[in-house]
Amino acid sequence: MVGATKRAFFRLGYGFARSRNGPVNMHAAACIPAVTGAWLHEGGGAFHNNSDIYHWNKSMIEGLDLRDASVRMLDQSRIGAILCGDRAALAEGPPVSAMLIQNTNPMSVCPDQETVKRGFARDDLFVCVHEQFMTETARMADVVLPATMFVEHDDVYQAGGSQYILLGPKLIDPPGECRSNHEVIGGLAKRLGVAHPGFDMTARELIDWTLRNSGWGTLAELEAKRWIDCQPDFETAHYVKGFAYPDGKFRFKPDWPKVPFRMPHHAGPISAMPKLPDHWTIIEEQDEAHPFRLATSPSRGFLNSTFNETPSSREREGGRPEVMIHPDDAQTIGIEDGAEVLLGNARGQIRIHARLFYGVRRGVLIAESIWPNDAYIDGRGINTLTGADAIAPYGGAAFHDNKVWIRPFKD
């Protein structure tokens, strides 16, 4: 079908890259439209991420002009190993003794949860969480700071897979002592005696500076137009005059050691990666002790762990965590629809209810996530079973690449 369809289009989502051979799979799939010439046709080609079309200058927001390259950048997917003192995860540096956490919920979303929990339970670790909800991570904090909602502060947005810059103006005052990320960071900077122009700017001033210095005009112009269309012209977007390399040629042979954003200290066995598009046999294959592969695919009602605290979202997801299993597999093991089961591997085990579903391949289990840990029968969430070993060459976690066993739960 691909070969016979000139305008074949590949929508390359993030999910199938969440395997130990994910980057290799992504590169191989991206090669196909280059081989077939699908890029030359409107509606043809491939899409994974278009964040580069916004060409943001975030120097004022992130203080990039003062960034010290010697300061470690650590992989959040390895936060359990980091907090438990793993030298490679720590990039051979000193232990992490204090954390400020904003916009994430590692006690739920990070892999290898048993290790994550041990790390956060350290008596010598100080944790401050800036949040809107009392998440699992907030419950582990020494200090919890209330955060604003998106209608309670001025901000600018780009949507994944979209092509527009959108203004999100402040609509109401925040309740109580809620502060935005920028206000918290600016307040800390003042107490620490750290100087940078961005700390003293209002949110609107930061937005205006960033728009101007990214080539998108002014805040006043954005307010008047309401959005900015950032989509490049057809020839640029479809690489008609060449791909984004100095010689314009597509790279079927990637230079894996030099890929951008690589976590240098723990990015996996790069030398073993295929030199050309190919399958890489590095995934967690089923074995006699673990006859199933588990994917922790996203649910429709949650966004990572966002929205999983709202009753309406939970109700749309069936009211409880479940693992989907093919009925023929369930019959072989003696599992009935709705039955309580144990799911486990070397990393731990969880108790969850089974749902029989013919849409799952035999030998595969799917647990749509991420439910709060306390929604599970024994308080252990699905990421108890996911591995935190870094994927080559970027780092990150293989959330959908886990070998497991499943059996009926017996009191």
Side-chain angles (χ1 to χ4, degrees):
M1 290 176 65
V2 169
T5 307
K6 294 290 186 182
R7 294 194 301 173
F9 175 73
F10 291 79
R11 177 61 175 97
L12 305 174
Y14 292 89
F16 91 111
R18 300 289 192 258
S19 295
R20 287 164 180 80
N21 58 4
V24 172
N25 288 344
M26 182 66 71
H27 174 252
C31 288
I32 298 173
V35 172
T36 65
W39 283 112
L40 298 174
H41 304 279
E42 186 173 358
F47 181 88
H48 171 59
N49 182 294
N50 65 341
S51 60
D52 282 352
I53 69 172
Y54 300 103
H55 48 76
W56 290 116
N57 181 341
K58 296 184 179 181
S59 296
M60 192 61 68
I61 295 174
E62 298 182 357
L64 299 179
D65 52 323
L66 296 182
R67 183 185 173 199
D68 182 351
S70 67
V71 174
R72 293 173 296 172
M73 180 183 293
L74 305 180
D75 185 350
Q76 183 185 335
S77 298
R78 301 273 292 152
I79 194 169
I82 289 167
L83 295 182
C84 287
D86 182 280
R87 292 189 62 187
L90 285 165
E92 305 297 331
V96 171
S97 58
M99 301 176 70
L100 169 62
I101 299 176
Q102 295 175 307
N103 302 94
T104 187
N105 183 17
M107 279 288 292
S108 177
V109 305
C110 285
D112 194 12
Q113 279 283 299
E114 294 299 292
T115 306
V116 174
K117 291 174 181 177
R118 287 199 304 273
F120 271 95
R122 279 172 39 197
D123 291 333
D124 62 341
L125 176 68
F126 175 79
V127 178
C128 176
V129 175
H130 185 210
E131 253 292 356
Q132 296 105 343
F133 292 90
M134 190 58 69
T135 64
E136 291 93 343
T137 307
R139 293 191 190 107
M140 297 297 291
D142 298 280
V143 175
V144 178
L145 303 177
T148 51
M149 299 282 190
F150 70 95
V151 294
E152 297 166 356
H153 58 247
D154 292 300
D155 212 339
V156 65
Y157 300 91
Q158 67 183 59
S162 181
Q163 63 194 55
Y164 300 98
I165 293 173
L166 303 171
L167 179 66
K170 177 181 175 180
L171 301 178
I172 59 174
D173 289 327
E177 296 180 286
C178 294
R179 296 189 186 181
S180 68
N181 286 2
H182 175 55
E183 289 170 327
V184 170
I185 297 297
L188 282 173
K190 185 174 293 185
R191 291 195 180 199
L192 294 168
V194 180
H196 188 273
F199 292 139
D200 299 320
M201 289 183 175
T202 66
R204 290 178 61 85
E205 289 171 338
L206 272 177
I207 293 170
D208 186 68
W209 188 98
T210 303
L211 288 169
R212 290 174 183 268
N213 287 272
S214 301
W216 296 121
T218 66
L219 173 56
E221 292 169 343
L222 176 56
E223 285 182 307
K225 294 188 294 186
R226 299 179 60 195
W227 62 77
I228 301 171
D229 187 346
C230 304
Q231 178 65 18
D233 62 88
F234 175 83
E235 287 193 343
T236 301
H238 282 247
Y239 311 108
V240 173
K241 294 183 179 179
F243 291 87
Y245 291 96
D247 60 5
K249 295 179 180 179
F250 186 87
R251 297 302 195 261
F252 291 100
K253 184 179 180 180
D255 193 351
W256 292 118
K258 295 182 181 179
V259 291
F261 313 122
R262 181 174 168 246
M263 304 297 287
H265 301 287
H266 45 75
I270 294 176
S271 60
M273 299 180 74
K275 300 298 187 290
L276 291 167
D278 199 358
H279 175 70
W280 190 18
T281 308
I282 196 175
I283 62 174
E284 277 196 6
E285 301 281 5
Q286 297 112 311
D287 54 35
E288 186 175 353
H290 307 86
F292 289 88
R293 298 195 70 220
L294 170 69
T296 59
S297 308
S299 65
R300 295 179 182 271
F302 309 145
L303 179 62
N304 298 324
S305 67
T306 304
F307 307 121
N308 71 12
E309 66 283 321
T310 60
S312 57
S313 294
R314 292 195 186 200
E315 185 178 352
R316 280 194 293 269
E317 294 303 318
R320 67 185 185 188
E322 294 179 326
V323 59
M324 291 184 281
I325 181 172
H326 193 282
D328 293 343
D329 284 335
Q331 184 178 20
T332 301
I333 303 170
I335 293 174
E336 297 182 356
D337 191 37
E340 189 177 326
V341 297
L342 286 175
L343 198 60
N345 56 23
R347 303 177 187 106
Q349 66 179 41
I350 67 170
R351 288 167 62 184
I352 192 171
H353 291 89
R355 173 152 61 98
L356 275 55
F357 180 48
Y358 279 103
V360 182
R361 286 187 62 179
R362 294 205 61 180
V364 174
L365 305 175
I366 297 178
E368 294 182 329
S369 300
I370 296 174
W371 286 84
N373 293 334
D374 60 14
Y376 291 81
I377 301 166
D378 61 359
R380 292 186 175 92
I382 194 66
N383 279 321
T384 301
L385 307 176
T386 57
D389 48 305
I391 302 173
Y394 301 101
F399 286 108
H400 306 328
D401 184 3
N402 311 282
K403 60 182 181 182
V404 296
W405 50 257
I406 185 172
R407 61 178 68 116
F409 174 75
K410 298 178 181 179
D411 293 321

